């Protein structure tokens, strides 16, 4: 079909011996060789891909053969198109987007004159249709949006920690003081919410013995050098998984907020705006850690309906 | 033989032609002129990598199971043997190691996604700095901006669905950002996730958004984007006889069929070579997502970097109201991208109203120096986002440079304000200097020193384009096919008394 193109009637005005129809290559022979070599290389690479596939070769061989095949195939086409085809330039007219006043008026006349016939003395039809359509738009939103999930209600405000909840590991084992060395950290859960994204709590052994008092009113919240905080970062909700024992800092690896353990996990660096909530714990008569109560504030990052208390 | 085959082809062509009138529109298409400039290829890269995404994505959907049901993994990857993981994670590991070519296709898909978003951004910068968004292309600029948003969203969704440790943490951050939105945030987050975080719906929901809903919207907008491009015809740089009312370049047939077709294979080939040699997102090393575990020194895919950086440099501020609050992440996570894209959408109108006062139709592109104010505003804004992008690596930089994290963070907090302020006047000055430099941007001529018989030295400028002198050709017009008489003939009212319906001439 290619020869018919050059006899294309629209190009009749351009003589085929015009300089625009010369090819762009400086050295036509060399360009032909390069293009030919590209296609041959592509052929070899595609064949190699076939072989690599049947032999279940490694990802590198697999991808390299087909990648090089595609690359050389494309290289051949581009060098053909760029250097062995009419160098141009050619031009075509471009009608501007602006329409004339007459065209605008004709459309307007068509629209309004025929439209007037349609709605003449029938404006109540327009209103009824609009009302029905509007109601449809509103009711259609219910199944589309409301059915997607439950309302938040109170679920963001509380965790599964209750008065008397045991601090247990992910395996459900109750934790006792002799389980951890000074400087150690352990992720704990209430026994009925193992692995929870919400209730996850980090238990730290900060010192050998003695209560840790982070602020007034929390005198008996952290017995025997142990202290527990919500593990959910108050910035964007990542697990606060790093503990620098020398500085007694909890660090969130996502955006590097740092919380000072001694101060009740007050944020000292980075974007976190609020301290990690502290879980009040005690050691029961059997020697196991238990919660004195649940968290006294919502854990994790802020949300619109959280309320203003810091 | 030859004649018989041609006869056959002719017959098939005629059959189709007589039903679709291809010969009429086909002639327009073959003669369509594409202006020649390398910067027009960037949008093509985006288009071609989208095609790679569709093809490799279809392959991946055949093996991926979008489910959060917990299974015990027993498969080809031994280090994970016996671990309890989600079906989504297990099937991704399975398609990586047990399906022939699976790892290659997964890496191809991920690389193509990065290239897709990257080429959209660079294409957008080209369009911005050359003023290609001006009338009549404002709407197409806005479609392009929408495509960028959708590409970023879909990239994030695709990155999330393997349910590995790194992407799972990203989903947690996304939930926190959603619930931070004033008035609707808490409900919105619950509706999207089907309840409180983490729930069990998010992988299937992200999956259907990722493979069906967003790709369909992208395809539709892409069709609109290209349709408008055909309607307006390409904008072009000045020179070679280019005017506002013509297009100068090479025709679709045969030049651009070969060049653009070949460029598709080049793009695909380079993406495939990357996928073969450069590892990306090795989720078997990250492990499955567990809500109480987290990884260190993790960065998201590059196009989320500016948001991650913004989350890091944001000071620890929150707004507390009676009964409500505006959380910290709202400002970098919602407000910043909201303002960013609003400004992008409105820029063509802002510029016309406040800077150029020019509402006329433009098909000739600016050089960036032609409009110093636009260029320097664009450069300063780009510098701001580039600093934010760098800020997403604060922890890695602190570790690499052995500097305190505190110092690195403060450097970025200050830089994201100071650097744009420096960039603005520098870019402005460079534009003015370039305007005054004759032949700026053209290749320099060699200066030849000659010694005359008397022994004096003279410097002589060489001819332009040393070695090869290209003939300066004027464009040759290709005639427009005039379809108007045929359209008029069709529109002429015909009387058809047989069936009693009359079309009355106006």
């Amino acid at each position: 079909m290619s020869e018919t193109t050059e006899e294309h009637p629209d190009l009749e005005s351009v003589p085929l011996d015009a300089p625009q129809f010369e090819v762009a290559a400086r050295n036509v022979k060399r360009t032909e060789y390069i293009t030919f070599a590209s296609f041959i290389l592509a052929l070899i690479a595609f064949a190699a891909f076939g072989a690599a596939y049947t032999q279940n070769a490694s990802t590198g061989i697999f991808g390299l053969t087909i990648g090089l095949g595609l690359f050389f195939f494309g290289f051949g086409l581009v060098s053909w198109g760029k250097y062995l085809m009419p160098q141009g330039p050619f031009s075509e007219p471009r009608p501007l987007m602006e329409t004339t006043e007459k065209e605008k008026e004709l459309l307007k006349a068509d629209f309004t004159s025929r439209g007037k016939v349609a709605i003449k003395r029938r404006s109540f039809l327009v209103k009824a249709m609009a009302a029905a359509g509007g109601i449809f738009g509103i009711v259609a939103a219910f199944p589309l949006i409301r059915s997607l999930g439950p309302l938040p209600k109170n679920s963001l405000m509380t965790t599964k920690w209750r008065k008397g909840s045991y601090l247990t590991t992910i395996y459900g084992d109750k934790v006792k003081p002799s389980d951890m060395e000074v400087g150690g950290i352990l992720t704990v859960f209430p026994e009925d919410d193992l692995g929870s994204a919400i209730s996850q709590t980090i238990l730290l052994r900060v010192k050998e013995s003695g209560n840790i008092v982070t602020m007034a009113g929390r005198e008996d919240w952290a017995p025997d050098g142990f202290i527990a905080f919500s593990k959910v970062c108050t910035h964007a909700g990542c697990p606060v998984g790093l503990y620098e024992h020398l500085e007694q800092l909890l660090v969130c690896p996502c955006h590097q907020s740092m919380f000072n353990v001694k101060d009740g996990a007050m944020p000292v660096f980075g974007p976190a705006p609020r301290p990690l909530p502290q879980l009040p714990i005690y050691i029961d008569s059997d020697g196991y850690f238990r919660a004195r109560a649940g968290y006294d504030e919502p854990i994790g990052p802020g949300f619109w309906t959280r309320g203003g208390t810091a | 033989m030859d004649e018989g085959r041609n006869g056959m082809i002719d017959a098939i062509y005629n059959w189709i032609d007589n039903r679709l009138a291809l010969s009429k529109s086909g002639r327009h298409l073959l003669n369509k002129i594409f202006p020649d400039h390398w910067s027009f290829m960037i949008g093509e890269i985006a288009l071609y990598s989208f095609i790679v995404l569709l093809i490799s994505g279809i392959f991946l959907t055949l093996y991926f199971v979008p489910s959060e049901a917990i299974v015990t993994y027993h498969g080809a990857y031994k280090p994970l043997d016996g671990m309890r993981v989600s079906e989504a994670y297990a099937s991704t590991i399975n398609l990586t190691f047990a399906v022939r070519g699976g790892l290659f296709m997964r890496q191809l898909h991920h690389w193509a996604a990065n290239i897709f978003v990257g080429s959209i951004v660079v294409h957008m910068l080209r369009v911005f700095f050359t003023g290609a968004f001006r009338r009549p292309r404002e709407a197409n600029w806005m479609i392009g901006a929408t495509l960028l948003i959708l590409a970023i969203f879909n990239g994030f969704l695709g990155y999330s669905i393997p349910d590995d440790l790194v992407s799972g943490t990203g989903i947690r951050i996304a939930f926190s950002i959603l619930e931070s939105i004033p008035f609707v945030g808490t409900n919105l987050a619950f509706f999207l996730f089907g309840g409180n975080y983490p729930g069990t719906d998010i992988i299937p929901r992200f999956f259907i958004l990722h493979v069906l809903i967003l790709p369909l919207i992208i395809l539709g907008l892409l069709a609109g984007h290209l349709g408008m491009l055909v309607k307006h015809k390409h904008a072009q740089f000045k020179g070679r006889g280019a005017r506002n009312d013509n297009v100068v370049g090479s025709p679709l047939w045969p030049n651009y069929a070969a060049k653009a077709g070949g460029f598709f294979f080049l793009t695909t080939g380079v993406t495939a070579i990357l996928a073969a040699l450069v590892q990306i997102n090795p989720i078997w090393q990250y492990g499955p997502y567990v809500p109480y575990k987290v990884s260190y020194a993790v960065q998201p895919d590059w196009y989320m970097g500016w948001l991650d950086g913004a989350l890091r440099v944001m000071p620890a501020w929150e707004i507390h109201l009676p009964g409500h609050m505006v959380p910290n992440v709202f400002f970098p996570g919602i407000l910043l991208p909201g303002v960013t894209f609003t400004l992008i959408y409105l820029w063509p109108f802002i510029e016309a109203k406040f800077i150029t006062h020019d509402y006329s139709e433009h098909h000739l592109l600016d050089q960036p120096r032609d409009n110093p104010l636009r260029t320097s505003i664009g450069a300063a804004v780009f510098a701001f986002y580039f600093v934010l992008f760098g800020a997403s690596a604060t922890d890695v930089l602190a570790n690499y440079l052995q500097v305190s994290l505190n110092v690195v963070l403060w450097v970025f907090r200050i830089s994201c304000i100071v650097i744009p302020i420096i960039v603005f006047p520098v870019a402005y000055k460079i534009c003015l200097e370039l305007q005054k430099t004759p032949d700026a941007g053209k290749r320099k001529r060699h200066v030849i020193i000659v010694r005359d018989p008397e022994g004096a030295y003279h410097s002589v400028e060489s001819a332009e384009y040393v070695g090869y002198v290209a003939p300066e050709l004027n464009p040759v017009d290709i005639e427009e096919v005039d379809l108007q008489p045929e359209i008029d003939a069709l529109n002429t009212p015909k009387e058809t008394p047989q069936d009693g319906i009359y079309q009355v001439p106006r």
Side-chain angles (χ1 to χ4, degrees):
Chain A
M1 301 287 280
S2 63
E3 59 270 55
T4 58
T5 308
E6 292 177 6
E7 296 152 11
H8 201 289
D10 285 338
L11 291 170
E12 267 175 9
S13 59
V14 188
L16 281 177
D17 56 1
Q20 280 82 357
F21 272 102
E22 286 169 17
V23 300
R26 260 186 282 168
N27 186 336
V28 175
K29 216 68 234 134
R30 195 176 61 190
T31 315
E32 281 171 354
Y33 284 138
I34 291 173
T35 309
F36 180 72
S38 304
F39 286 132
I40 294 301
L41 284 170
L43 189 149
I44 294 170
F46 284 139
F49 171 75
Y53 186 85
T54 56
Q55 298 301 307
N56 196 8
S58 69
T59 295
I61 302 290
F62 202 82
L64 207 55
T65 48
I66 194 167
L68 286 173
L70 291 165
F71 181 85
F72 284 120
F73 191 78
F75 191 89
L77 269 176
V78 170
S79 84
W80 193 351
K82 192 166 165 61
Y83 294 111
L84 298 175
M85 287 188 185
Q87 59 171 334
F90 301 96
S91 81
E92 63 175 344
R94 179 206 308 271
L96 295 185
M97 288 300 117
E98 212 162 22
T99 53
T100 63
E101 282 306 315
K102 187 160 190 279
E103 285 165 321
K104 287 187 221 289
E105 268 166 30
L106 280 177
L107 180 83
K108 217 181 282 174
D110 279 356
F111 187 80
T112 49
S113 60
R114 256 176 266 154
K116 264 180 194 155
V117 175
I119 62 167
K120 195 177 187 181
R121 291 188 308 272
R122 294 185 192 98
S123 63
F124 63 98
L125 287 184
V126 178
K127 282 173 193 157
M129 187 183 75
I135 293 293
F136 171 72
I138 293 166
V139 296
F142 281 103
L144 279 179
I145 296 173
R146 182 59 195 87
S147 299
L148 285 172
L151 291 173
K153 299 221 169 73
N154 210 25
S155 60
L156 284 168
M157 299 293 189
T158 59
T159 66
K160 285 278 178 72
W161 290 104
R162 298 279 172 275
K163 186 180 180 191
S165 295
Y166 283 99
L167 276 62
T168 59
T169 66
I170 180 66
Y171 302 108
D173 301 325
K174 295 172 192 167
V175 180
K176 53 186 187 301
S178 58
D179 289 345
M180 289 170 67
E181 294 179 20
V182 172
I185 60 173
L186 184 67
T187 306
V188 293
F189 306 90
E191 69 255 54
D192 58 349
D193 203 17
L194 299 180
S196 162
I198 309 299
S199 299
Q200 55 173 308
T201 293
I202 191 158
L203 179 67
L204 307 156
R205 183 162 199 181
V206 177
K207 53 184 184 177
E208 199 65 52
S209 61
N211 286 8
I212 306 161
V213 184
T214 53
M215 59 187 73
R218 294 186 178 180
E219 283 77 10
D220 53 358
W221 280 27
D224 269 12
F226 287 85
I227 190 164
F229 294 104
S230 163
K231 201 181 171 181
V232 185
C233 186
T234 54
H235 173 231
C238 291
V240 183
L242 301 173
Y243 174 54
E244 281 185 36
H245 181 56
L246 283 181
E247 316 246 354
Q248 298 195 353
L249 289 176
L250 277 166
V251 183
C252 177
C254 283
H255 307 106
Q256 288 79 44
S257 294
M258 296 182 186
F259 303 90
N260 188 350
V261 170
K262 283 176 293 188
D263 267 0
M266 277 304 260
V268 291
F269 176 81
R274 276 168 284 111
L276 299 169
Q278 186 181 347
L279 185 72
I281 55 172
Y282 68 100
I283 303 167
D284 69 7
S285 51
D286 295 328
Y288 292 113
F289 283 113
R290 295 172 77 168
R292 251 176 220 292
Y295 288 107
D296 61 356
E297 59 178 317
I299 58 105
F303 48 96
W304 171 245
T305 49
R306 186 183 181 275
T309 48
Chain B
M1 176 72 198
D2 238 359
E3 190 145 351
R5 199 177 58 186
N6 276 345
M8 175 94 145
I9 292 172
D10 278 353
I12 295 172
Y13 176 75
N14 283 336
W15 191 91
I16 301 172
D17 190 32
N18 291 338
R19 280 149 189 86
L20 294 171
L22 287 186
S23 292
K24 285 190 213 278
S25 52
R27 263 160 64 193
H28 274 307
L29 190 67
L30 293 189
N31 285 350
K32 180 171 173 49
I33 297 291
F34 291 67
D36 304 298
H37 193 268
W38 63 266
S39 67
F40 301 155
M41 294 193 306
I42 303 163
E44 281 184 58
I45 299 179
L47 180 66
Y48 300 150
S49 40
F50 185 64
I51 296 170
V52 177
L53 281 170
L54 289 181
I55 296 169
S56 55
I58 289 169
F59 178 92
L60 297 177
T61 53
L62 300 178
Y63 303 99
F64 179 71
V65 183
S67 157
E68 288 185 54
I70 299 294
V71 295
T72 306
Y73 179 79
H74 292 295
Y77 188 65
K78 289 304 167 200
L80 284 172
D81 195 65
M83 271 184 87
R84 290 172 56 72
V85 299
S86 70
E87 270 190 288
Y89 184 77
S91 62
T92 312
I93 296 288
N94 185 51
L95 82 84
T96 301
F97 291 108
V99 174
R100 194 171 288 195
L103 175 59
F104 170 67
M105 288 305 250
R106 213 168 68 72
Q107 300 203 136
L108 183 69
H109 194 68
H110 205 127
W111 272 117
N114 278 324
I115 294 171
F116 180 50
V117 188
S119 49
I120 293 176
V121 171
V122 180
H123 173 61
M124 197 169 201
L125 290 173
R126 194 280 289 174
V127 168
F128 180 86
F129 286 115
T130 59
F133 54 81
R134 291 172 295 173
R135 185 179 163 196
R137 295 187 177 75
E138 301 99 326
N140 225 8
W141 163 262
M142 293 162 94
I143 292 181
T146 315
L147 281 168
L148 174 60
I149 297 173
L150 293 173
I152 290 176
F153 264 113
N154 217 22
F156 177 75
L157 294 175
Y159 164 89
S160 297
I161 53 177
D163 204 23
D164 60 278
L165 184 56
V166 172
S167 71
T169 313
I171 299 180
R172 168 70 240 203
I173 297 170
F175 185 87
S176 306
I177 291 174
L178 273 176
E179 67 178 350
S180 78
I181 302 172
F183 304 104
V184 296
T186 322
N187 284 349
L188 194 67
F190 271 62
F191 289 165
L192 186 63
F193 279 67
N196 198 357
Y197 183 82
T200 53
D201 290 342
I202 199 61
I203 298 291
R205 285 187 181 182
F206 274 20
F207 175 74
I208 209 67
L209 282 169
H210 177 71
V211 303
L212 181 72
I213 298 171
L214 289 192
L216 274 184
I217 301 175
I218 290 175
L219 267 175
L221 288 176
L222 209 52
H225 201 63
L226 297 179
M228 250 192 247
L229 171 95
V230 171
K231 177 91 184 167
H232 293 147
K233 301 181 189 288
H234 296 262
Q236 55 191 345
F237 284 105
K238 295 166 193 122
R240 292 220 300 183
R243 296 189 313 268
N244 216 28
D245 63 351
N246 71 358
V247 192
V248 175
S250 310
L252 175 68
W253 184 261
N255 296 55
Y256 269 86
K259 279 163 86 171
F263 195 52
F264 167 74
F265 290 105
L266 279 180
T267 309
T268 321
V270 170
T271 316
I273 292 168
L274 270 173
L277 301 181
V278 190
Q279 186 182 62
I280 190 161
N281 204 25
I283 59 152
W284 59 93
Q285 293 177 5
Y286 301 157
Y289 177 60
V290 182
Y292 54 91
K293 285 186 181 166
V294 66
S295 189
Y296 187 64
V298 175
Q299 268 62 39
D301 272 0
W302 76 266
Y303 45 82
M304 301 298 281
W306 61 290
L307 288 170
D308 189 50
L311 281 173
R312 291 175 191 224
V313 297
M314 179 72 198
W317 298 332
E318 278 185 342
I319 297 176
H320 295 276
L321 307 162
H324 293 283
M325 75 185 299
V326 185
N328 180 278
V329 288
F330 169 74
F331 304 102
I334 298 288
L335 195 64
L336 173 76
V339 169
T340 303
F341 280 99
T342 307
L343 285 179
I344 289 176
Y345 277 118
L346 294 182
W347 178 259
F349 311 102
I350 296 174
E351 182 186 290
K353 186 159 173 60
F354 297 107
I355 299 179
T356 57
H357 309 290
D358 177 358
Y359 296 93
S360 53
E361 215 173 310
H362 290 277
H363 298 286
L364 289 177
L365 296 171
D366 283 338
Q367 293 285 344
R369 60 174 174 269
D370 294 340
N371 192 329
L373 197 53
R374 173 206 298 148
T375 301
S376 41
I377 289 174
V381 170
F382 184 72
F384 172 71
Y385 290 106
F386 196 77
V387 174
L388 287 185
F389 173 73
S392 72
T394 44
D395 51 342
V396 179
L397 285 173
N399 192 33
Y400 182 75
L401 302 171
Q402 292 295 306
V403 184
S404 127
L405 198 54
N406 207 328
V407 173
V408 177
L409 183 75
W410 274 104
V411 166
F412 275 105
R413 277 180 176 171
I414 295 166
S415 302
C416 71
I417 293 168
V418 170
I419 287 186
I421 293 176
I422 296 172
V423 164
F424 181 84
V426 171
Y428 199 89
K429 182 73 179 156
I430 290 174
C431 287
L432 293 184
E433 292 290 329
L434 278 173
Q435 279 181 0
K436 290 176 198 147
T437 313
D439 292 340
K442 287 199 179 141
R443 196 173 294 179
K444 280 206 180 98
R445 293 186 191 186
H446 291 216
V447 175
I448 301 168
I449 309 290
V450 289
R451 192 181 178 202
D452 66 18
E454 278 79 44
Y457 290 95
H458 303 278
S459 65
V460 184
E461 270 195 357
S462 70
E464 212 166 348
Y465 304 122
V466 180
Y468 173 59
V469 179
E472 282 289 316
L473 295 175
N474 286 322
V476 168
D477 286 336
I478 294 180
E479 276 171 40
E480 183 84 347
V481 190
D482 190 11
L483 295 174
Q484 202 52 46
E486 291 165 48
I487 295 170
D488 289 346
L490 284 173
N491 287 342
T492 310
K494 286 188 210 102
E495 288 185 23
T496 48
Q498 296 95 317
D499 53 17
I501 295 171
Y502 292 81
Q503 223 181 332
V504 184
R506 223 180 351 258

